Amino acid sequence: MTDIKPWWQSKTLWGAIVTIGSAVLGLTGLDLGETDREALTGLLTSLGAAIGGMIAIFGRIKAKNRIG
């Protein structure tokens, strides 16, 4: 592994978060099926990437120095 990516683009991380969340929901009596967990993981991965992109754009707009 030589490629580096931001944490919010990690499907493994989001999958772990969804798994923990579904375990907590299971303790309360709610059950997420496998399809729902996969869909939620994909949604959160995309959402994390979109938020990261917006933060990057906002940071560039607010930056005091030019790139170069």
Side-chain angles (χ1 to χ4, degrees), residues 22-49:
S22 64
V24 170
L25 289 175
L27 292 172
T28 64
L30 298 173
D31 185 28
L32 288 179
E34 182 66 28
T35 304
D36 292 333
R37 284 195 296 265
E38 288 177 12
L40 188 54
T41 299
L43 174 69
L44 290 174
T45 303
S46 297
L47 185 61

